[in-house]
Amino acid sequence: MESAGRFFFDPSACHGNMLFLGNSDPVFRGPSSMINIEETRKRRPFFSSPEDFFEEEYYDEQSPEKKRRLTPEQVHLLEKSFESENKLEPERKTQLAKRLGLQPRQVAVWFQNRRARWKTKQLERDYDLLKSSYDALQSNYDSLVKEKEKLKSEVASLTEKLHVKEATITSSLGQESDPLPAGIANDASALPVSMKVEDRLSSGSNGSSVVDEEGPHLLDSGDSYFPSDNYPGCVAPLDEVIRSEEDDGSDDGRSYFSDVFAAAAEPQQLEGGEPLGWWVWP
DNA sequence: TTGTGTTTTATTGCCTCC
DNA sequence: GGAGGCAATAAAACACAA
């Protein structure tokens, strides 16, 4: 390992660059107090003009124990070299050191520190990437939860309406079972049941006449209004109706539901295979 | 001017590979 | 076992606000 030995000031090195002596060793360490005010006053900003760094006087005046920053030119060349290859083979290290007027050890150290900085930056980039991905998923999840709540309340509202309607129809059917007064038995327009049935089964101007024709068949059960033969599923609770529509995919709203569920399935898969289950019908 | 935070240079010790 | 890489750390150099 190169670090086994400490580096001392090498006067032959270009611009008097030197390596700081081991700071853990009190024998070699130059106490900070040795840097007097005059030296501090002469200290230059990190990015002074490049020419300044090549003034012999500047380097000659530095105490040997001072840690020296590399010049912008040296850093630039090192950066370029790092860009092309972030690992340093011995030959390249020697060449760079000669070219920069640095100790090979300094070049190696610079690369090592540069790799560490690059790794830190890379971790930050990865973190940002993951975070934005997570935020997007979270937002998607939230909107799906809202959508689910909206649909739930819609279902509840429709179910209630259905129950009210069923109650009305049931009571109407109960009245119809009473003997009709003579004279109006053949008057179809006077039958409230027919009117209600038509109201119910025709959802618009294009009302069906089937119910009128098949009127008597509707009275097969006091529990269910719909003839189970011709309208399978209509007697089932609404949630079952919706489920059956999902199953056979015959509903017009299929694409809507499939979109919703396809979207809902995404976070499920992205949660490490753990089923979320929040979209499951109650 | 000074205190404080950040960046850069360098060392140390441990680990892996040949 | 030596060479080189990496993580942790020290400390100088630097930036900047109060």
Side-chain angles (χ1 to χ4, degrees), chain A residues 1 23 29 32 43-44 46 66-67 69 90 112 115 119:
Chain A
M1 181 177 182
N23 51 24
R29 184 179 171 193
S32 300
R43 201 178 278 163
R44 301 178 182 198
F46 180 43
K66 283 194 74 177
K67 195 183 279 189
R69 292 215 168 182
Q112 200 145 305
R115 279 195 295 270
K119 191 177 175 183

Short mmCIF file of all heavy atoms in Angstrom, two decimals, chain A residues 1 23 29 32 43-44 46 66-67 69 90 112 115 119, chain C residues 2-15:
data_model
loop_
_atom_site.label_atom_id
_atom_site.label_comp_id
_atom_site.label_asym_id
_atom_site.label_seq_id
_atom_site.Cartn_x
_atom_site.Cartn_y
_atom_site.Cartn_z
N MET A 1 0.85 -1.19 0.00
CA MET A 1 0.00 0.00 0.00
C MET A 1 0.88 1.24 0.00
O MET A 1 1.80 1.36 0.79
CB MET A 1 -0.89 -0.02 1.25
CG MET A 1 -1.83 1.15 1.33
SD MET A 1 -2.87 0.97 2.77
CE MET A 1 -3.88 2.42 2.58
N ASN A 23 -1.42 13.70 9.80
CA ASN A 23 -1.88 14.58 10.85
C ASN A 23 -2.20 13.84 12.14
O ASN A 23 -2.50 14.46 13.15
CB ASN A 23 -3.11 15.38 10.39
CG ASN A 23 -4.16 14.48 9.81
OD1 ASN A 23 -4.21 13.30 10.13
ND2 ASN A 23 -5.00 15.02 8.95
N ARG A 29 3.15 16.69 12.77
CA ARG A 29 2.09 17.65 12.53
C ARG A 29 2.53 19.07 12.87
O ARG A 29 3.06 19.35 13.92
CB ARG A 29 0.88 17.30 13.39
CG ARG A 29 -0.28 18.22 13.12
CD ARG A 29 -1.45 17.83 13.97
NE ARG A 29 -2.47 18.86 13.84
CZ ARG A 29 -3.49 18.93 14.64
NH1 ARG A 29 -3.63 18.05 15.60
NH2 ARG A 29 -4.37 19.88 14.48
N SER A 32 -1.48 24.44 14.02
CA SER A 32 -2.12 25.53 13.30
C SER A 32 -1.62 26.88 13.79
O SER A 32 -1.61 27.85 13.05
CB SER A 32 -3.63 25.44 13.47
OG SER A 32 -4.10 24.22 12.98
N ARG A 43 -3.13 34.45 2.40
CA ARG A 43 -3.90 33.31 1.89
C ARG A 43 -4.75 33.75 0.69
O ARG A 43 -5.35 34.82 0.69
CB ARG A 43 -4.81 32.80 3.01
CG ARG A 43 -5.27 31.39 2.80
CD ARG A 43 -6.11 30.96 3.96
NE ARG A 43 -5.32 30.53 5.10
CZ ARG A 43 -5.81 30.41 6.32
NH1 ARG A 43 -7.05 30.69 6.56
NH2 ARG A 43 -5.04 30.02 7.31
N ARG A 44 -4.82 32.91 -0.29
CA ARG A 44 -5.56 33.31 -1.49
C ARG A 44 -6.89 32.57 -1.56
O ARG A 44 -7.01 31.46 -1.05
CB ARG A 44 -4.74 32.96 -2.74
CG ARG A 44 -3.42 33.67 -2.70
CD ARG A 44 -2.60 33.30 -3.88
NE ARG A 44 -1.30 33.98 -3.77
CZ ARG A 44 -0.49 34.14 -4.79
NH1 ARG A 44 -0.79 33.68 -5.96
NH2 ARG A 44 0.66 34.75 -4.62
N PHE A 46 -9.79 30.33 -3.08
CA PHE A 46 -9.64 29.04 -3.75
C PHE A 46 -9.56 29.20 -5.26
O PHE A 46 -8.75 28.60 -5.93
CB PHE A 46 -10.82 28.15 -3.38
CG PHE A 46 -10.75 26.81 -4.03
CD1 PHE A 46 -9.55 26.11 -4.08
CD2 PHE A 46 -11.88 26.24 -4.58
CE1 PHE A 46 -9.49 24.85 -4.65
CE2 PHE A 46 -11.81 24.99 -5.15
CZ PHE A 46 -10.63 24.30 -5.20
N LYS A 66 1.77 22.64 5.36
CA LYS A 66 0.44 23.11 4.95
C LYS A 66 -0.18 22.24 3.86
O LYS A 66 0.50 21.86 2.90
CB LYS A 66 0.51 24.55 4.48
CG LYS A 66 0.60 25.53 5.63
CD LYS A 66 0.34 26.94 5.19
CE LYS A 66 -1.13 27.13 4.90
NZ LYS A 66 -1.42 28.52 4.53
N LYS A 67 -1.41 22.01 4.03
CA LYS A 67 -2.13 21.24 3.01
C LYS A 67 -2.40 22.18 1.82
O LYS A 67 -2.83 23.30 2.01
CB LYS A 67 -3.45 20.75 3.59
CG LYS A 67 -4.12 19.67 2.77
CD LYS A 67 -5.46 19.29 3.38
CE LYS A 67 -5.29 18.33 4.53
NZ LYS A 67 -6.57 17.79 5.01
N ARG A 69 -4.18 23.01 -1.87
CA ARG A 69 -5.21 22.67 -2.85
C ARG A 69 -4.60 22.62 -4.23
O ARG A 69 -3.65 23.34 -4.54
CB ARG A 69 -6.33 23.70 -2.82
CG ARG A 69 -7.12 23.65 -1.55
CD ARG A 69 -8.57 23.94 -1.78
NE ARG A 69 -9.33 23.60 -0.57
CZ ARG A 69 -10.62 23.69 -0.46
NH1 ARG A 69 -11.34 24.11 -1.47
NH2 ARG A 69 -11.24 23.36 0.65
N PRO A 90 -1.68 1.95 -12.99
CA PRO A 90 -0.38 2.50 -12.57
C PRO A 90 0.29 3.38 -13.62
O PRO A 90 0.82 4.45 -13.29
CB PRO A 90 0.46 1.25 -12.30
CG PRO A 90 -0.53 0.20 -11.96
CD PRO A 90 -1.76 0.50 -12.75
N GLN A 112 -9.32 8.59 -5.75
CA GLN A 112 -10.08 7.89 -4.71
C GLN A 112 -11.17 8.79 -4.14
O GLN A 112 -12.32 8.39 -4.00
CB GLN A 112 -9.11 7.49 -3.59
CG GLN A 112 -9.65 6.38 -2.73
CD GLN A 112 -8.52 5.48 -2.30
OE1 GLN A 112 -7.78 4.97 -3.14
NE2 GLN A 112 -8.36 5.32 -1.00
N ARG A 115 -13.87 9.38 -6.71
CA ARG A 115 -14.81 8.25 -6.81
C ARG A 115 -15.81 8.30 -5.67
O ARG A 115 -17.00 8.01 -5.85
CB ARG A 115 -14.04 6.93 -6.80
CG ARG A 115 -13.46 6.54 -8.14
CD ARG A 115 -13.05 5.08 -8.15
NE ARG A 115 -11.97 4.80 -7.22
CZ ARG A 115 -10.68 4.87 -7.54
NH1 ARG A 115 -10.32 5.23 -8.76
NH2 ARG A 115 -9.75 4.60 -6.64
N LYS A 119 -19.80 8.67 -6.08
CA LYS A 119 -20.70 7.68 -5.49
C LYS A 119 -21.79 8.38 -4.67
O LYS A 119 -22.96 8.01 -4.74
CB LYS A 119 -19.90 6.73 -4.60
CG LYS A 119 -20.70 5.53 -4.16
CD LYS A 119 -19.84 4.60 -3.33
CE LYS A 119 -20.66 3.45 -2.78
NZ LYS A 119 -19.87 2.57 -1.92
P DG C 2 5.01 -8.13 2.03
OP1 DG C 2 6.48 -8.20 2.13
OP2 DG C 2 4.20 -7.62 3.15
"O5'" DG C 2 4.63 -7.29 0.72
"C5'" DG C 2 5.09 -7.74 -0.55
"C4'" DG C 2 4.17 -7.23 -1.64
"O4'" DG C 2 2.91 -7.94 -1.58
"C3'" DG C 2 3.85 -5.75 -1.57
"O3'" DG C 2 3.94 -5.19 -2.87
"C2'" DG C 2 2.41 -5.71 -1.03
"C1'" DG C 2 1.84 -7.00 -1.61
N9 DG C 2 0.73 -7.58 -0.86
C8 DG C 2 0.68 -7.82 0.50
N7 DG C 2 -0.43 -8.37 0.88
C5 DG C 2 -1.17 -8.51 -0.28
C6 DG C 2 -2.47 -9.05 -0.49
O6 DG C 2 -3.25 -9.52 0.35
N1 DG C 2 -2.84 -9.00 -1.83
C2 DG C 2 -2.06 -8.51 -2.84
N2 DG C 2 -2.58 -8.54 -4.06
N3 DG C 2 -0.85 -8.00 -2.67
C4 DG C 2 -0.46 -8.03 -1.36
P DA C 3 3.89 -3.63 -3.05
OP1 DA C 3 5.00 -3.25 -3.94
OP2 DA C 3 3.73 -2.98 -1.74
"O5'" DA C 3 2.51 -3.48 -3.86
"C5'" DA C 3 2.27 -4.33 -4.98
"C4'" DA C 3 0.89 -4.02 -5.56
"O4'" DA C 3 -0.11 -4.73 -4.80
"C3'" DA C 3 0.52 -2.54 -5.51
"O3'" DA C 3 -0.12 -2.18 -6.72
"C2'" DA C 3 -0.42 -2.44 -4.31
"C1'" DA C 3 -1.06 -3.82 -4.29
N9 DA C 3 -1.44 -4.29 -2.96
C8 DA C 3 -0.71 -4.21 -1.82
N7 DA C 3 -1.29 -4.73 -0.76
C5 DA C 3 -2.49 -5.19 -1.26
C6 DA C 3 -3.57 -5.86 -0.64
N6 DA C 3 -3.61 -6.17 0.66
N1 DA C 3 -4.62 -6.20 -1.41
C2 DA C 3 -4.60 -5.87 -2.72
N3 DA C 3 -3.64 -5.25 -3.41
C4 DA C 3 -2.60 -4.94 -2.61
P DG C 4 -0.39 -0.68 -7.03
OP1 DG C 4 -0.13 -0.47 -8.46
OP2 DG C 4 0.28 0.16 -6.02
"O5'" DG C 4 -1.97 -0.59 -6.78
"C5'" DG C 4 -2.83 -1.49 -7.45
"C4'" DG C 4 -4.21 -1.45 -6.83
"O4'" DG C 4 -4.17 -2.07 -5.53
"C3'" DG C 4 -4.77 -0.03 -6.61
"O3'" DG C 4 -6.06 0.03 -7.19
"C2'" DG C 4 -4.82 0.12 -5.10
"C1'" DG C 4 -4.99 -1.34 -4.65
N9 DG C 4 -4.57 -1.62 -3.29
C8 DG C 4 -3.38 -1.25 -2.70
N7 DG C 4 -3.30 -1.64 -1.45
C5 DG C 4 -4.50 -2.29 -1.21
C6 DG C 4 -4.97 -2.92 -0.03
O6 DG C 4 -4.41 -3.03 1.06
N1 DG C 4 -6.24 -3.47 -0.22
C2 DG C 4 -6.95 -3.42 -1.39
N2 DG C 4 -8.15 -3.99 -1.39
N3 DG C 4 -6.52 -2.83 -2.50
C4 DG C 4 -5.29 -2.29 -2.33
P DG C 5 -6.84 1.38 -7.31
OP1 DG C 5 -7.24 1.55 -8.71
OP2 DG C 5 -6.09 2.42 -6.60
"O5'" DG C 5 -8.16 1.04 -6.46
"C5'" DG C 5 -8.88 -0.16 -6.73
"C4'" DG C 5 -9.98 -0.32 -5.70
"O4'" DG C 5 -9.40 -0.84 -4.48
"C3'" DG C 5 -10.69 0.98 -5.35
"O3'" DG C 5 -12.10 0.82 -5.40
"C2'" DG C 5 -10.20 1.31 -3.96
"C1'" DG C 5 -9.81 -0.04 -3.38
N9 DG C 5 -8.70 0.05 -2.45
C8 DG C 5 -7.45 0.59 -2.70
N7 DG C 5 -6.65 0.55 -1.67
C5 DG C 5 -7.41 -0.06 -0.67
C6 DG C 5 -7.07 -0.37 0.67
O6 DG C 5 -5.99 -0.17 1.26
N1 DG C 5 -8.12 -0.99 1.34
C2 DG C 5 -9.35 -1.26 0.78
N2 DG C 5 -10.24 -1.84 1.58
N3 DG C 5 -9.69 -0.97 -0.47
C4 DG C 5 -8.67 -0.38 -1.13
P DC C 6 -13.05 2.05 -5.24
OP1 DC C 6 -14.22 1.84 -6.11
OP2 DC C 6 -12.24 3.28 -5.34
"O5'" DC C 6 -13.51 1.91 -3.71
"C5'" DC C 6 -13.99 0.65 -3.25
"C4'" DC C 6 -14.30 0.76 -1.77
"O4'" DC C 6 -13.08 0.66 -1.00
"C3'" DC C 6 -14.96 2.08 -1.38
"O3'" DC C 6 -16.09 1.84 -0.54
"C2'" DC C 6 -13.87 2.83 -0.63
"C1'" DC C 6 -13.02 1.70 -0.05
N1 DC C 6 -11.60 2.05 0.14
C2 DC C 6 -10.97 1.80 1.37
O2 DC C 6 -11.64 1.27 2.27
N3 DC C 6 -9.68 2.13 1.53
C4 DC C 6 -9.01 2.71 0.54
N4 DC C 6 -7.73 3.01 0.75
C5 DC C 6 -9.60 2.97 -0.72
C6 DC C 6 -10.89 2.64 -0.88
P DA C 7 -17.12 2.98 -0.25
OP1 DA C 7 -18.47 2.50 -0.62
OP2 DA C 7 -16.60 4.24 -0.81
"O5'" DA C 7 -17.05 3.08 1.34
"C5'" DA C 7 -17.10 1.87 2.11
"C4'" DA C 7 -16.81 2.18 3.57
"O4'" DA C 7 -15.39 2.38 3.74
"C3'" DA C 7 -17.50 3.44 4.09
"O3'" DA C 7 -17.95 3.20 5.43
"C2'" DA C 7 -16.40 4.50 4.05
"C1'" DA C 7 -15.13 3.67 4.27
N9 DA C 7 -13.95 4.19 3.58
C8 DA C 7 -13.88 4.64 2.29
N7 DA C 7 -12.67 5.03 1.92
C5 DA C 7 -11.91 4.80 3.05
C6 DA C 7 -10.55 5.01 3.32
N6 DA C 7 -9.68 5.50 2.44
N1 DA C 7 -10.09 4.69 4.55
C2 DA C 7 -10.96 4.20 5.45
N3 DA C 7 -12.27 3.95 5.31
C4 DA C 7 -12.68 4.28 4.07
P DA C 8 -18.76 4.29 6.21
OP1 DA C 8 -19.75 3.59 7.05
OP2 DA C 8 -19.19 5.34 5.28
"O5'" DA C 8 -17.64 4.91 7.17
"C5'" DA C 8 -16.83 4.01 7.92
"C4'" DA C 8 -15.77 4.79 8.69
"O4'" DA C 8 -14.68 5.12 7.79
"C3'" DA C 8 -16.26 6.11 9.29
"O3'" DA C 8 -15.85 6.19 10.64
"C2'" DA C 8 -15.61 7.19 8.41
"C1'" DA C 8 -14.34 6.48 7.97
N9 DA C 8 -13.78 6.94 6.69
C8 DA C 8 -14.45 7.17 5.52
N7 DA C 8 -13.68 7.58 4.54
C5 DA C 8 -12.42 7.63 5.10
C6 DA C 8 -11.16 7.98 4.58
N6 DA C 8 -10.96 8.38 3.33
N1 DA C 8 -10.09 7.91 5.41
C2 DA C 8 -10.29 7.52 6.67
N3 DA C 8 -11.42 7.15 7.27
C4 DA C 8 -12.47 7.24 6.42
P DT C 9 -16.38 7.39 11.55
OP1 DT C 9 -16.48 6.88 12.92
OP2 DT C 9 -17.54 8.04 10.89
"O5'" DT C 9 -15.15 8.42 11.48
"C5'" DT C 9 -13.84 7.93 11.74
"C4'" DT C 9 -12.81 8.96 11.35
"O4'" DT C 9 -12.68 9.00 9.91
"C3'" DT C 9 -13.13 10.39 11.77
"O3'" DT C 9 -12.30 10.75 12.85
"C2'" DT C 9 -12.84 11.23 10.51
"C1'" DT C 9 -12.14 10.25 9.59
N1 DT C 9 -12.33 10.48 8.13
C2 DT C 9 -11.23 10.77 7.35
O2 DT C 9 -10.10 10.84 7.79
N3 DT C 9 -11.51 10.98 6.02
C4 DT C 9 -12.75 10.93 5.43
O4 DT C 9 -12.87 11.13 4.22
C5 DT C 9 -13.85 10.62 6.30
C7 DT C 9 -15.24 10.55 5.74
C6 DT C 9 -13.60 10.41 7.60
P DA C 10 -12.41 12.21 13.50
OP1 DA C 10 -12.20 12.05 14.96
OP2 DA C 10 -13.60 12.92 12.98
"O5'" DA C 10 -11.12 12.91 12.88
"C5'" DA C 10 -9.90 12.18 12.84
"C4'" DA C 10 -8.79 13.06 12.28
"O4'" DA C 10 -8.89 13.09 10.83
"C3'" DA C 10 -8.83 14.52 12.74
"O3'" DA C 10 -7.50 14.95 12.96
"C2'" DA C 10 -9.49 15.25 11.58
"C1'" DA C 10 -9.05 14.43 10.38
N9 DA C 10 -10.00 14.38 9.26
C8 DA C 10 -11.33 14.09 9.31
N7 DA C 10 -11.93 14.10 8.14
C5 DA C 10 -10.91 14.41 7.26
C6 DA C 10 -10.89 14.57 5.86
N6 DA C 10 -11.95 14.43 5.08
N1 DA C 10 -9.71 14.88 5.29
C2 DA C 10 -8.63 15.02 6.07
N3 DA C 10 -8.53 14.89 7.39
C4 DA C 10 -9.72 14.58 7.94
P DA C 11 -7.24 16.28 13.82
OP1 DA C 11 -5.97 16.09 14.54
OP2 DA C 11 -8.47 16.65 14.53
"O5'" DA C 11 -7.01 17.36 12.66
"C5'" DA C 11 -5.97 17.13 11.73
"C4'" DA C 11 -6.11 18.10 10.56
"O4'" DA C 11 -7.18 17.67 9.71
"C3'" DA C 11 -6.42 19.55 10.96
"O3'" DA C 11 -5.59 20.40 10.19
"C2'" DA C 11 -7.88 19.71 10.55
"C1'" DA C 11 -7.90 18.82 9.32
N9 DA C 11 -9.22 18.41 8.86
C8 DA C 11 -10.30 18.07 9.61
N7 DA C 11 -11.37 17.75 8.91
C5 DA C 11 -10.94 17.88 7.60
C6 DA C 11 -11.60 17.69 6.37
N6 DA C 11 -12.86 17.30 6.26
N1 DA C 11 -10.88 17.91 5.25
C2 DA C 11 -9.61 18.31 5.35
N3 DA C 11 -8.89 18.52 6.45
C4 DA C 11 -9.62 18.28 7.55
P DA C 12 -5.25 21.87 10.70
OP1 DA C 12 -3.98 21.78 11.44
OP2 DA C 12 -6.45 22.48 11.32
"O5'" DA C 12 -4.97 22.60 9.31
"C5'" DA C 12 -4.15 21.95 8.36
"C4'" DA C 12 -4.62 22.31 6.95
"O4'" DA C 12 -5.90 21.69 6.70
"C3'" DA C 12 -4.80 23.80 6.71
"O3'" DA C 12 -4.23 24.13 5.45
"C2'" DA C 12 -6.32 24.00 6.73
"C1'" DA C 12 -6.82 22.66 6.22
N9 DA C 12 -8.14 22.27 6.71
C8 DA C 12 -8.54 22.13 8.01
N7 DA C 12 -9.79 21.75 8.14
C5 DA C 12 -10.24 21.62 6.85
C6 DA C 12 -11.49 21.23 6.31
N6 DA C 12 -12.55 20.90 7.06
N1 DA C 12 -11.61 21.21 4.97
C2 DA C 12 -10.55 21.53 4.23
N3 DA C 12 -9.33 21.90 4.60
C4 DA C 12 -9.24 21.93 5.95
P DA C 13 -4.16 25.65 5.01
OP1 DA C 13 -2.95 25.77 4.15
OP2 DA C 13 -4.35 26.54 6.17
"O5'" DA C 13 -5.45 25.77 4.07
"C5'" DA C 13 -5.56 24.89 2.96
"C4'" DA C 13 -6.84 25.21 2.21
"O4'" DA C 13 -7.96 24.69 2.97
"C3'" DA C 13 -7.11 26.70 1.98
"O3'" DA C 13 -7.48 26.89 0.63
"C2'" DA C 13 -8.26 27.01 2.95
"C1'" DA C 13 -8.97 25.68 3.02
N9 DA C 13 -9.72 25.42 4.25
C8 DA C 13 -9.30 25.58 5.53
N7 DA C 13 -10.20 25.25 6.44
C5 DA C 13 -11.28 24.84 5.69
C6 DA C 13 -12.55 24.36 6.05
N6 DA C 13 -12.95 24.21 7.31
N1 DA C 13 -13.40 24.04 5.07
C2 DA C 13 -13.00 24.19 3.80
N3 DA C 13 -11.83 24.62 3.33
C4 DA C 13 -11.00 24.93 4.34
P DC C 14 -7.56 28.37 0.04
OP1 DC C 14 -7.15 28.28 -1.37
OP2 DC C 14 -6.93 29.33 0.95
"O5'" DC C 14 -9.14 28.61 0.09
"C5'" DC C 14 -10.00 27.67 -0.56
"C4'" DC C 14 -11.42 27.85 -0.09
"O4'" DC C 14 -11.55 27.46 1.28
"C3'" DC C 14 -11.98 29.27 -0.18
"O3'" DC C 14 -12.94 29.32 -1.22
"C2'" DC C 14 -12.60 29.52 1.20
"C1'" DC C 14 -12.71 28.09 1.77
N1 DC C 14 -12.71 28.00 3.25
C2 DC C 14 -13.83 27.47 3.89
O2 DC C 14 -14.79 27.10 3.21
N3 DC C 14 -13.84 27.39 5.24
C4 DC C 14 -12.78 27.81 5.93
N4 DC C 14 -12.82 27.70 7.26
C5 DC C 14 -11.61 28.34 5.30
C6 DC C 14 -11.63 28.42 3.97
P DA C 15 -13.65 30.69 -1.61
OP1 DA C 15 -13.86 30.66 -3.08
OP2 DA C 15 -12.92 31.84 -0.99
"O5'" DA C 15 -15.07 30.54 -0.89
"C5'" DA C 15 -15.82 29.35 -1.07
"C4'" DA C 15 -17.19 29.51 -0.43
"O4'" DA C 15 -17.08 29.29 1.00
"C3'" DA C 15 -17.81 30.90 -0.59
"O3'" DA C 15 -19.21 30.75 -0.78
"C2'" DA C 15 -17.48 31.59 0.73
"C1'" DA C 15 -17.51 30.42 1.71
N9 DA C 15 -16.60 30.56 2.85
C8 DA C 15 -15.31 30.99 2.83
N7 DA C 15 -14.73 30.99 4.02
C5 DA C 15 -15.73 30.52 4.86
C6 DA C 15 -15.75 30.29 6.24
N6 DA C 15 -14.71 30.49 7.05
N1 DA C 15 -16.90 29.83 6.77
C2 DA C 15 -17.95 29.62 5.97
N3 DA C 15 -18.04 29.80 4.65
C4 DA C 15 -16.89 30.26 4.16
#
